[in-house]
Amino acid sequence: MRALLTLTCAGQFMVLLDNTIVGAYVLLVAMLLLSGGVFADRFGRRRVFLTGVVVFTAASVVCSLAPSIGWLIVGRVFQGVGAAALSPASLALLAAAYPAPRERVRAIGLWAGFSGIGLAAGPLAGGILVEAFGWPAIFLVNVPIGAVLLLAGLPVLGESRNPSAPPIDVPGTVLSVAGVGAVTYGLIEGGSRGWTSPVILGSFAAGLVLLAAFVVVEGRVSTPMLPLRLFRQRLFTVSNTAMVVVGFALMGSSFFFSQFFVYVQGTSILVAGLRTLPTSLAMVIVSPYAGRFAARYGFRVVVSIGLALAGLGLLALDSVHADTGYGNVWWRLAVVGIGFALTMSPLTGAAIQAVSPQEGGLASGVSSTTRQIGAVLGVAVLGVIVHTRESGGASFGSGLNSAFLAAGAVTLACAVFTGLWLTAARTPRGVRGEQSGGQAVGEPLLTAPRSRPTS
């Protein structure tokens, strides 16, 4: 069990570390994550995980040796495909290996903790590798990690799948990939092309139409890739909604942390990366305990406290400026890291806990997709805030302050939202607990789920 936990966490860390070092493949990852989770449930989580490792590692070699921009793009495309298979399959493996709710939440806590660490450590790792070894190093760093994952995973990982998984929903798969891709492309390119440009407006319009068609198709086909019934479960819907906010605030603000030190306080890229360490270290220290806290006190309490801390930390960054000493900055970054470390794993655990064990890959894909879309949305929206303030005559530092203020306000609002709604609905006939193994209303996750009585 420990070996499986280590391997799946390491795989997720590799994917998200590369996600923050170079963000070009974010589009493809966002497009394919949901499909990757569905494929893992149907064709085998071990098979999809190891296939993703092989593709991602081989693509990293291609990127590092790319003789032209064309080859680099090809390598990044295949990295995105590998990441979209590897990430949801790793979480689905954990969900299948830990059927008891309390142990599952703790395991997911470590997995989500490595996700947060990878997100936060990316800017630092990228700065160190580029300055010390040049740009190819940011891709080569994946090769030894991938080799270890493959060699260790072949004898250790056991296969699991959903024996009742339906056939692949081709129309749903095509519509989801195209719809998410169009919206994500608009968010990524809107800042450079202009938010009112025909290409960006057309991208958003096409994405919304495709996603609306996806919802219609999924409601009518007999074997949908994303059963809409899942969203009738409050725990699943609220946890994924909150995950959008976590991606928005964590990735959006982290993108600007190093820019504050470089462009406002005038440090080098390497020093800026080192100065963002409090966020990463806080996640390293706190993340292993987040799952335990969720198992003991319940998802709602831990998530709401975490979001409140993260929001307050981001609001505190609104007052930093060029002359603020580092002694008065680091603790604000640490509070942000502590807050998001407490939030990510319980939210992921809640999404997994709300579905049946056979649908672990699907739930993982949905959770990863919502976080990824939130991350792209955060960078785009906070970037617009910074640009708008600069266009109005404010300094870049003032624009960053406004961006941190907006991220903090959204995070605090989400803390209130989860405090009110991050619970499983009560089941009828006086039975506590969710029919699919979810957490009862406000109840710590201490015992195995009880099934709904039959009529």
Side-chain angles (χ1 to χ4, degrees):
M1 286 292 189
R2 289 185 178 180
L4 182 148
L5 181 59
T6 302
L7 289 170
T8 53
C9 288
Q12 178 70 359
F13 175 81
M14 179 177 68
V15 167
L16 290 177
L17 178 68
D18 201 67
N19 185 79
T20 52
I21 290 175
V22 179
Y25 83 148
V26 170
L27 171 63
L28 201 63
V29 175
M31 291 170 61
L32 298 177
L33 276 170
L34 181 58
S35 299
V38 173
F39 279 40
D41 282 341
R42 176 164 180 77
F43 298 112
R45 290 132 190 174
R46 175 182 180 271
R47 177 181 299 173
V48 172
F49 176 81
L50 293 177
T51 301
V53 170
V54 171
V55 172
F56 190 90
T57 305
S60 297
V61 175
V62 172
C63 289
S64 66
L65 301 177
S68 65
I69 188 64
W71 277 103
L72 181 61
I73 292 173
V74 169
R76 292 301 280 169
V77 166
F78 280 98
Q79 268 194 322
V81 173
L86 189 163
S87 181
S90 66
L91 184 53
L93 280 169
L94 281 185
Y98 291 88
R102 184 169 185 173
E103 287 72 20
R104 183 191 301 170
V105 171
R106 288 180 176 178
I108 290 173
L110 290 174
W111 182 93
F114 272 86
S115 301
I117 294 167
L119 285 171
L124 173 60
I128 293 175
L129 291 170
V130 170
E131 289 203 10
F133 306 105
W135 69 264
I138 61 179
F139 301 110
L140 281 176
V141 69
N142 298 319
V143 177
I145 300 176
V148 170
L149 285 174
L150 182 62
L151 294 176
L154 283 171
V156 169
L157 298 177
E159 187 59 281
S160 65
R161 58 169 52 88
N162 181 3
S164 58
I168 296 299
D169 174 17
V170 176
T173 300
V174 172
L175 288 171
S176 69
V177 169
V180 172
V183 172
T184 306
Y185 175 82
L187 291 172
I188 292 174
E189 295 294 324
S192 59
R193 291 179 175 268
W195 295 101
T196 58
S197 69
V199 172
I200 299 304
L201 292 178
S203 177
F204 284 135
L208 292 176
V209 169
L210 288 166
L211 291 176
F214 171 73
V215 172
V216 172
V217 168
E218 296 303 277
R220 293 183 176 180
V221 298
S222 58
T223 57
M225 68 176 295
L226 179 60
L228 299 182
R229 59 175 169 77
L230 296 179
F231 292 97
R232 292 197 292 269
Q233 298 186 46
R234 183 196 299 171
L235 194 62
F236 184 82
T237 301
V238 174
S239 61
N240 280 292
T241 302
M243 190 63 84
V244 174
V245 175
V246 169
F248 174 95
L250 174 59
M251 189 61 186
S253 59
S254 296
F255 180 79
F256 292 108
F257 286 165
S258 57
Q259 293 194 23
F260 167 76
F261 291 115
V262 172
Y263 299 112
V264 178
Q265 296 200 326
T267 70
S268 67
I269 295 177
L270 178 57
V271 171
L274 292 172
R275 289 192 173 185
T276 63
L277 267 178
T279 304
S280 303
L281 291 177
M283 287 189 160
V284 170
I285 295 170
V286 176
S287 291
Y289 298 97
R292 299 179 185 180
F293 293 154
R296 183 172 183 178
Y297 301 110
F299 298 126
R300 176 170 57 179
V301 172
V302 179
V303 168
S304 300
I305 291 175
L307 287 171
L309 284 174
L312 292 173
L314 289 169
L315 290 182
L317 288 169
D318 171 53
S319 61
V320 299
H321 48 79
D323 298 324
T324 304
Y326 185 65
N328 201 23
V329 177
W330 72 266
W331 62 267
R332 304 167 196 250
L333 298 174
V335 171
V336 173
I338 292 170
F340 284 124
L342 288 173
T343 302
M344 287 189 66
S345 71
L347 281 179
T348 307
I352 298 295
Q353 200 68 28
V355 305
S356 65
Q358 290 79 18
E359 295 173 315
L362 171 61
S364 172
V366 174
S367 181
S368 298
T369 301
T370 54
R371 185 189 62 239
Q372 193 82 356
I373 291 176
V376 177
L377 185 64
V379 174
V381 171
L382 298 186
V384 168
I385 292 174
V386 174
H387 178 71
T388 301
R389 288 296 312 277
E390 285 188 291
S391 299
S395 66
F396 179 71
S398 297
L400 289 182
N401 291 150
S402 298
F404 293 142
L405 180 63
V410 170
T411 305
L412 286 177
C414 190
V416 176
F417 171 69
T418 56
L420 293 173
W421 296 102
L422 189 62
T423 57
R426 291 186 182 276
T427 55
R429 303 181 187 179
V431 178
R432 294 170 63 84
E434 189 73 22
Q435 65 175 351
S436 57
Q439 178 191 21
V441 180
E443 181 182 38
L445 198 59
L446 296 176
T447 57
R450 284 164 286 184
S451 59
R452 183 193 297 265
T454 57
S455 48

